[in-house]
Amino acid sequence: MNNLILQTDYWAIISGFFNWVAESAAIMMVLSGAMAITWLGFERKRRGSFTKRKAEEKGDFNVTKFLRGLSYIGLVLGIFVVWSGVVSLIMDIPPSFKYRDITADEANHFTSIFLIIIGMTMFFKPISDLPLSSIIGCIVGAATAIVIALIVPDSVVQLIGGFINPKWILVIIFIIVAVVVGLTAKFYLGTLQKMSKFLSWPPIAFIIVIFCFVQGIALWGFGVSIFGLNLL
């Protein structure tokens, strides 16, 4: 009974936290602006310039551990930011209580969409060097093979076994699914990673910092949006 109560409490805390995130788009905007500041330092150091689009080919480049650590914190923050944008857009949740009381008891669509974009940028920036498409392909391929192995009846396995070893079939399925999913993911992830690199380019990141702080404070402290655009 005590374990059940503890599990219920943990679930209530987690659920309450994600509900708060969904209701706090304005705060997520401010936090996104703070994270974008680290992009300025990271990219300025990596490129050796504020405006250069391409990274310098220097063997002595070594970004500080502090900036890199903040970048990985952004990966987690990006998940929350995307959650805030998606849920507030779908559930029509206002970005702040102040906005609800002063402007409208509905989502600000521009803010929600912006949070989804900037959250994905935060997520992909620190993992842009990882072979994500291959990892995703292997995970999906392995999961597919395991599911097939679990759901196929023994009678079918014995029937197939008369012609070919069922294990080889699972291996073939794994390879096919992994390759197809990997190639598909590579295309879409490549686009998202390019978007992440563009938005973290120092001049663009600087604009994002200013916008996030101004829009976040306007929503949070004054209950208004500098962009009142709504789709409906």
Side-chain angles (χ1 to χ4, degrees):
M1 179 64 69
N2 290 335
N3 290 336
L4 180 61
I5 294 175
L6 288 175
Q7 291 176 2
T8 303
D9 290 342
Y10 286 138
W11 173 249
I13 293 173
I14 294 173
S15 177
F17 173 75
F18 278 96
N19 287 336
W20 174 83
V21 171
E23 296 171 352
S24 304
I27 297 177
M28 293 298 110
M29 285 290 292
V30 175
L31 293 177
S32 297
M35 181 54 58
I37 292 177
T38 68
W39 299 347
L40 291 173
F42 184 96
E43 294 297 330
R44 170 65 180 81
K45 185 176 179 65
R46 184 173 72 88
R47 299 167 189 263
S49 170
F50 186 79
T51 58
K52 288 182 179 180
R53 294 293 300 275
K54 295 182 179 180
E56 294 290 331
E57 298 294 335
K58 292 182 179 179
D60 59 348
F61 166 72
N62 182 22
V63 71
T64 61
K65 292 182 179 180
F66 176 72
L67 287 175
R68 184 172 293 277
L70 288 177
S71 181
Y72 281 98
I73 291 175
L75 187 152
V76 178
L77 177 61
I79 296 174
F80 296 143
V81 171
V82 170
W83 173 266
S84 178
V86 170
V87 176
S88 63
L89 189 62
I90 294 175
M91 303 299 293
D92 204 23
I93 301 173
S96 70
F97 297 125
K98 197 82 170 181
Y99 183 90
R100 178 198 61 192
D101 297 336
I102 293 179
T103 302
D105 187 12
E106 61 183 17
N108 180 265
H109 295 166
F110 181 87
T111 298
S112 298
I113 294 171
F114 181 85
L115 286 176
I116 295 171
I117 295 173
I118 201 68
M120 293 175 66
T121 301
M122 280 188 246
F123 180 82
F124 280 102
K125 181 170 176 54
I127 57 177
S128 59
D129 295 330
L130 294 178
L132 284 180
S133 57
S134 299
I135 295 174
I136 294 174
C138 289
I139 292 175
V140 175
T144 303
I146 291 172
V147 170
I148 291 176
L150 292 175
I151 64 175
V152 173
D154 293 338
S155 58
V156 175
V157 174
Q158 293 176 358
L159 179 63
I160 296 174
F163 302 95
I164 185 175
N165 191 328
K167 293 182 180 179
W168 283 110
I169 296 180
L170 292 178
V171 171
I172 294 172
I173 292 174
F174 166 78
I175 293 174
I176 293 175
V177 173
V179 170
V180 172
V181 173
L183 291 175
T184 304
K186 185 176 182 179
F187 173 77
Y188 290 104
L189 291 177
T191 301
L192 293 173
Q193 289 173 347
K194 288 179 181 178
M195 180 185 72
S196 175
K197 290 180 180 179
F198 172 75
L199 293 179
S200 61
W201 179 40
I204 301 299
F206 180 75
I207 295 174
I208 291 174
V209 170
I210 300 301
F211 171 75
C212 284
F213 281 131
V214 173
Q215 175 76 341
I217 292 173
L219 292 169
W220 191 8
F222 301 96
V224 296
S225 171
I226 61 176
F227 281 92
L229 174 65
N230 264 359
L231 301 178
L232 300 175

